[in-house]
Amino acid sequence: MATNILEVNMYRYNPEEDKFPYIKQYQIEKPAKDIMVLDLLHLLKEQDESISYRRSCREGVCGSDGMNINGKNGLACITPISSVLKKNKIELRPLPGLPVIRDLVVDMTEFYAQYEKIKPFLQNSTTAPEQERLQSPEDRDKLDGLYECILCACCSTSCPSFWWNPDKFLGPAALLQAYRFLADTRDLKTNERLEDLSDPFSVYRCHGIMNCVNVCPKGLNPNKAIGKIKTMLLKDKKEIITTDGAMN
Amino acid sequence: MKSGRLTWYLQRYSAIYFISFLVYLEYTFWTSGITFQFLSSNNLFKASLSIFILLACIHAYIGLWTVGTDYLTKRTLGFISSGLGASANTLRKIYEYIFILLGALIAALYILIIWF
């Protein structure tokens, strides 16, 4: 193949027309400058209007364009083609493990259902102060590396435990957020949250495979958060919460 | 399996016991020499070997139960055929009962051999 031609192998599936998914090969002239995979998709869409994918902010903030790029999950908008090209070839597939709606668009219902289970909001029944619930800078620092998650699902859909039990194992994204609220000193439902996570599947099905850490486009570490949840679960719950709600 | 905490502790503590037992076995081998006479008369060895066998059965069962709940599910077997997927729960129960039965038989047999 000429070195100025890119070969893009793309997963295609339109349930209204196709009985089975298939891989369609596209050839496109290699752009003069390094572009993102999302830009490459735009160029391909000019060739073939039927290609479907999600996108929105195109700068790694909305998390819409998570996909499997040459075997590794990532956000198309912040992945330069130079970083994934192998012998001038790129293979694009939908995020693995979730039902495909069409082409690179997956049904995220199961993913969001797990997120909903961890109750991703502050629970504090004490009277709210006039302005806001304050935290010390040290307590606020505990949330760094947790709140930045954009729910792109790259981590959960790269996790074999989530592939096999997406209805029981919460997955790294939801667990990162679960720890975000467990670590928040303003949240007073720590024991209840831990009780909800105490079954053998929700957290304990994580075997530390670390795919989540490997693929997170924001550089977060869900595995570390899961380890901290496990430590909290294995401790005596009475030790975790003091009377004023602060976490030991 | 209701408690993740219990299974987690069982797996880890049994693994610690296995290592300790192997160290004890090695120590006994180098200090006393392991003869049939020694094995059949030493109650500490017989008791620790019995505990080893029981814990090994529990440890293996938790591991195999985890494998079963990963791979013998409606979703995973459904990739092969929808019929298999529909009967995944029954197949997994059969798989689990086979291991419980085998584990109980092996444990009973070994403990009988050790003590009688």
Side-chain angles (χ1 to χ4, degrees), chain A residues 170-225:
Chain A
L170 294 177
L175 288 170
L176 186 82
Q177 290 311 297
Y179 185 64
R180 180 249 172 274
F181 289 98
L182 286 168
D184 195 320
T185 48
R186 296 165 298 179
D187 190 283
L188 300 184
K189 294 284 183 184
T190 306
N191 278 351
E192 288 81 352
R193 287 181 185 278
L194 289 174
E195 188 60 40
D196 291 342
L197 299 171
S198 64
D199 65 281
F201 284 94
S202 297
V203 178
Y204 288 103
R205 201 37 77 101
C206 168
H207 301 306
I209 298 166
M210 306 277 277
N211 281 359
C212 52
V213 183
N214 191 33
V215 301
C216 178
K218 306 299 279 186
L220 307 178
N221 191 338
N223 196 257
K224 191 176 169 187

Side-chain angles (χ1 to χ4, degrees), chain A residues 107-174:
Chain A
D107 182 355
M108 307 269 280
T109 309
E110 280 177 329
F111 174 78
Y112 291 133
Q114 298 301 58
Y115 179 58
E116 195 181 343
K117 274 187 198 170
I118 62 113
K119 297 180 182 139
F121 43 85
L122 272 181
Q123 296 182 78
N124 188 327
S125 52
T126 58
T127 313
E130 270 188 35
Q131 285 191 320
E132 57 190 319
R133 294 185 196 279
L134 294 174
Q135 279 189 300
S136 68
E138 293 76 27
D139 285 339
R140 168 60 189 78
D141 286 348
K142 290 176 187 168
L143 308 182
D144 286 340
L146 304 171
Y147 76 92
E148 298 95 331
C149 175
I150 54 170
L151 295 174
C152 63
C154 285
C155 58
S156 291
T157 56
S158 70
C159 174
S161 295
F162 187 76
W163 295 341
W164 308 144
N165 289 293
D167 53 336
K168 293 176 183 165
F169 174 55
L170 294 177

Side-chain angles (χ1 to χ4, degrees), chain B residues 41-114:
Chain B
S41 60
N42 188 317
N43 279 341
L44 176 66
F45 178 79
K46 283 159 66 171
S48 53
L49 181 61
S50 304
I51 294 169
F52 177 88
I53 288 159
L54 287 172
L55 285 178
C57 288
I58 294 168
H59 188 96
Y61 175 71
I62 295 170
L64 290 163
W65 172 82
T66 307
V67 172
T69 46
D70 268 352
Y71 299 112
L72 299 178
T73 61
K74 189 179 175 184
R75 179 177 295 253
T76 42
L77 291 181
F79 283 125
I80 302 167
S81 85
S82 51
L84 265 179
S87 51
N89 285 345
T90 313
L91 285 170
R92 196 174 63 253
K93 285 284 168 214
I94 294 169
Y95 160 89
E96 282 173 17
Y97 287 135
I98 286 173
F99 282 117
I100 290 173
L101 197 66
L102 269 177
L105 271 173
I106 290 167
L109 193 66
Y110 272 97
I111 286 165
L112 270 175
I113 292 168
I114 292 163

Side-chain angles (χ1 to χ4, degrees), chain A residues 30-58:
Chain A
K30 201 172 179 179
K33 60 174 186 175
D34 197 10
I35 58 170
M36 299 296 167
V37 173
L38 183 64
D39 300 322
L40 180 70
L41 278 166
H42 292 337
L43 293 174
L44 289 172
K45 203 166 169 71
E46 285 172 14
Q47 267 189 37
D48 181 350
E49 285 187 342
S50 68
I51 294 173
S52 299
Y53 53 91
R54 285 197 184 103
R55 52 89 61 197
S56 181
C57 75
R58 60 103 184 103

